[in-house]
Amino acid sequence: MASITASYPWTTTPLIAGAPMRLISGPSLAHAISAAGGIGFLAAGTDVSTLSENLSAFKSLLSASPIPGTSSDVLPVGVGFILWGADLKLSVQALSELQEPPAAVWLFAPSSSEELASWASGIRSATKNKSKIWVQVSCVADAIEAATVAEPDVFVIQGADAGGHGRYSSAGLISLVPELIDTVLSYNANRGNASSPKFIAAGGIADERGVNAILALGADGAALGTRFLAAEEAVIRKGYQDAVLKAIDGGNSTIRTDVYDKLRGTTGWPKDYGGRGVINLSYADAVSGVPFEENEKLYKLAEESGDQGWEAGSARMTTYAGTAVGLVKKVAKAGDIVKELRGEITVKRI
Ligand SMILES: Cc1cc2nc3c(=O)[nH]c(=O)nc-3n(C[C@H](O)[C@H](O)[C@H](O)COP(=O)(O)O)c2cc1C
């Protein structure tokens, strides 16, 4: 069976993907990850109005710094959409205008299986089947639903440790990856479906040891968000980045919750989803019964204070990050992070 890197000819084994992170994964980060032999994803998220602009900026970076091994059919980049909030018509329109569509389109958090089906078929026809369909799923049931209605080329298996949004009821990668792969493969075989999807693991992977672990579990590669929050090319406030560098012991210091969505007004997520972020005063006040209006007022003040809103001791601003925060110790170039993850750069740990 062909390895996953055969479908993305500029990439190197093991495949490292930079997850689409809304507002954070822009053209520079995506280009740097792809240029190092990974695959970077631009985050369209729930708002596709900047998609064409971001793709043009990516193309300009590509002309200035070409990536060897790129085919002329597709751009060496992916685009991630959050389905419950993004406009399918506008997205399809933007993608169908492209001579070279992105090599991969990442679909996440549909509000129904019909929505997922419409996106998968809409993207496939808009890109004349050139863009591979990646679907991020957080449990085995999601994967079977996706296999039935969308036949993903790639399943992104999102474990409980993942930063940002995911299902409350997901498991850790160590049990989720093998069960999900076995179940999807036998489901497809029983249906006489001869496709051979690939599997990428996401959630809590932050260094070469994590990558080796998910390869041992049967995954074809790794997708990371939290580690790339400390990339030089990430579009991120210094206060946010510093808070990620400072946080340790992610099982204790982060939580999956809807508190930050409510405070920021990013509501509308399907009911089973929450965002994992660093616990701070906003969360503590919400659970200790401070009225929402009061908490929201304090949040707005923190927002106005800029980077101070993340300052240790008085932090209130949202710091979406996964349980691997404790392994993120320094800011580095995204390309070096990719090489570290593949074991090509040795990192001194203690
Ligand atoms: C700050 C942040 C923003 C995220 N935004 C998105 C997003 O816009 N779309 C998406 O599909 N996933 C998003 N995710 C989740 C990632 O796709 C992925 O599941 C997660 O980052 C993997 O876990 P890790 O953070 O431990 O690497 C986000 C994650 C983080 C940390």
Side-chain angles (χ1 to χ4, degrees), residues 19-22 82 106 108 136 158 162-164 203-204 224-226 240 320:
M21 293 185 280
R22 200 176 78 88
I82 295 175
W106 166 309
F108 183 47
Q136 179 162 245
Q158 186 193 43
L224 296 88
T226 298
Y240 183 169
Y320 283 135

Side-chain angles (χ1 to χ4, degrees), residues 74-124:
V74 288
L75 290 173
V77 71
V79 175
F81 294 96
I82 295 175
L83 304 199
W84 64 262
D87 188 308
L88 173 58
K89 253 197 192 152
L90 291 179
S91 308
V92 160
Q93 200 182 334
L95 292 175
S96 52
E97 282 162 4
L98 300 168
Q99 199 88 41
E100 300 166 288
V105 169
W106 166 309
L107 308 178
F108 183 47
S111 53
S112 66
S113 53
E114 291 76 25
E115 188 170 62
L116 177 59
S118 308
W119 272 83
S121 65
I123 300 291
R124 284 190 169 116

